[in-house]
Amino acid sequence: METVYIHTRLGIAKIEGDENGLTSITVFDSEEKVSDIVPELLEDAVYQLREYFDGTRKEFSLTLNPEGTDFQKKVWQALQQIPYGKTVSYLELSKTLGDVKAIRAIASANGQNPLWIVVPCHRVIGSDGSLTGYAGGLHRKKWLLEHESPVKQQTLF
């Protein structure tokens, strides 16, 4: 398993992966030491995340290999279908996955997403349009949604 720490506009991101793909991208509030060397296996992930934060990348083309249950992986796959600059509600996501009664399980799987930004769990909001829980912190979710918004305004939320 290879690991790299990079600086982003939202904190230090830890990226982990191996020859089978990325397993984890997390962000820290604390000051982790930024890596001096990027492992070759993670170079593309670092490059694409930097492009995302620079506003030049809207889709990721990375091999992903997160650990999770089959249900969680199904939810994470559905999250990847939410286009850049768009949001869906938990209810809409549960309908997409074919089971409105599973809304809480879907929300839980969303919260367990190990691949920050690349699997865009930040694009899921409350049915009333409100920002709801986000493992990376609501301030980050707000920033990400504003960053992706096609209409730039002073504040989205």
Side-chain angles (χ1 to χ4, degrees), residues 25 35 47 78:
I25 302 173
S35 302
Y47 182 76

Side-chain angles (χ1 to χ4, degrees), residues 6 13-16 21-26 44-50 52-53 57-66 76-84 113-123 134 144 148:
I6 64 168
K14 177 182 179 183
I15 305 169
E16 296 180 295
L22 292 179
T23 57
S24 174
I25 302 173
T26 53
D44 202 28
V46 169
Y47 182 76
Q48 289 188 36
L49 276 170
R50 287 188 176 140
Y52 171 85
F53 280 105
R57 177 170 291 276
K58 295 181 178 182
E59 293 180 16
F60 293 93
S61 58
L62 299 165
T63 302
L64 307 180
N65 189 28
W76 300 336
Q77 286 282 350
L79 293 173
Q80 292 177 73
Q81 305 311 309
I82 305 170
Y84 180 98
N113 170 26
L115 290 161
W116 182 60
I117 297 178
V118 174
V119 175
C121 56
H122 60 277
R123 296 180 188 153
Y134 184 63
L144 291 166
E148 294 182 2

Side-chain angles (χ1 to χ4, degrees), residues 83-103:
Y84 180 98
K86 303 287 184 189
T87 58
V88 300
S89 70
Y90 286 100
L91 180 60
E92 290 171 308
L93 184 58
S94 66
K95 288 178 181 176
T96 298
L97 289 165
D99 188 357
V100 294
K101 293 179 183 173
I103 192 167

Side-chain angles (χ1 to χ4, degrees), residues 1-20:
M1 184 69 63
E2 299 283 353
T3 303
V4 65
Y5 293 85
I6 64 168
H7 180 269
T8 74
R9 295 182 190 183
L10 296 175
I12 303 299
K14 177 182 179 183
I15 305 169
E16 296 180 295
D18 58 25
E19 61 279 349
N20 296 314

